Amino acid sequence: ARPSGPLQRLARWARREPPLALRLCGFGLFYAVELANYHVFHTIERDWHLKVSAMIAVWALVSVALQQVVKHERWETLGIFAWGAADVAAATSILLIADGVASPLVVAYPLLIVASGLWLRTGFVTVTTAACVASYLVLVADFYFRRVELQTGFDRDADRHVFFMLGLLLTWAAVRYQVSRARALSRPAGHSSRPGRC
C-alpha cells in the first residue's frame, strides 16, 4: 500500500476533529476574501485590515487551544461551552468594527448555531442560539443608536431584524431536532435515558 498523501492525511484529521476543522476552514475562506478586498480591490483600510487579521489569528489560536481542552474528559463540557462563548464573542467583535447588522458577516450567527450541533448536545445548541440572538440585539442597538451612519443606504425597518432572529430560532429548532435524533439513534437498544441532554 502506498503511504497516504498530505490531502488524505488532512481529510482524516478533519474527520477526527470536525469542530476545529470546520472553524479553520471558515477562517481561511473569510480571510481569503479579506485579503482580496485589501490587496486586490482596495475596498478596506489598512487599520481595519490589521485589526481583523489580529482578531482572526487570536480566534484561530483560541480554537486550537480549546480543542485540546475538550479532549480531556474532566474538562470537556467546560471546554465546549467556553469554545461556544469565544466563537460568539469573536464574531460579534468583528461585526462591531465592521458594518454590524448591515454587514453580510451576520451569516456567522446561523453558521455558529449549525456548528454547535457537531457536539451532539442539545443544551449547547440552545445556549449558543441564545448567545447569538443576544449578540445580534447588541448589533441592532449599535445600528440604531450608536453608529447611525450605518443606516445610510440600508433598510432601516425593524422587520428585517425580526425576520433574521426568527431565522436563528428556526435554525436552532432544526439543529436541535437533528441532534436529538442522532443521539436517539446512537443509544443502545433498551437505553432509557432521554435523548438530547447535555
Side-chain angles (χ1 to χ4, degrees):
R2 291 182 300 175
S4 300
L7 289 179
Q8 290 173 310
R9 290 196 295 271
L10 180 63
R12 282 202 300 268
W13 172 81
R15 285 194 295 268
R16 288 194 307 270
E17 311 285 1
L20 180 59
L22 181 65
R23 282 163 176 79
L24 294 181
C25 180
F27 298 154
L29 291 173
F30 166 77
Y31 200 60
V33 175
E34 165 70 13
L35 288 175
N37 285 336
Y38 180 64
H39 291 290
V40 179
F41 302 109
H42 308 291
T43 56
I44 57 176
E45 298 178 356
R46 183 173 182 271
D47 288 345
W48 196 90
H49 170 69
L50 293 176
K51 285 180 183 178
V52 170
S53 297
M55 294 172 78
I56 288 293
V58 170
W59 193 356
L61 290 173
V62 168
S63 296
V64 171
L66 289 172
Q67 173 66 26
Q68 299 306 310
V69 172
V70 300
K71 286 182 177 180
H72 298 280
E73 186 176 351
R74 180 179 178 184
W75 303 105
E76 181 183 12
T77 299
L78 177 62
I80 288 171
F81 279 86
W83 201 346
D87 283 342
V88 176
T92 305
S93 297
I94 290 174
L95 282 161
L96 283 170
I97 65 169
D99 291 335
V101 295
S103 170
L105 295 178
V106 293
V107 72
Y109 290 130
L111 290 177
L112 289 176
I113 296 171
V114 171
S116 69
L118 292 172
W119 297 110
L120 296 180
R121 293 167 176 248
T122 55
F124 180 57
V125 174
T126 299
V127 170
T128 299
T129 302
C132 288
V133 170
S135 297
Y136 188 77
L137 287 172
V138 170
L139 297 179
V140 170
D142 175 63
F143 177 78
Y144 284 111
F145 303 112
R146 190 173 75 92
R147 293 191 295 167
V148 294
E149 68 275 9
L150 295 176
Q151 299 175 23
T152 304
F154 191 78
D155 183 4
R156 298 178 64 248
D157 292 339
D159 60 343
R160 68 177 301 111
H161 308 301
V162 173
F163 290 140
F164 186 82
M165 287 187 288
L166 287 175
L168 294 181
L169 294 176
L170 288 172
T171 304
W172 162 76
V175 173
R176 190 180 189 282
Y177 173 77
Q178 293 293 340
V179 169
S180 297
R181 291 291 299 155
R183 288 174 62 93
L185 292 172
S186 66
R187 287 202 321 272
H191 197 277
S192 61
S193 65
R194 291 173 57 192
R197 288 186 175 178
C198 282

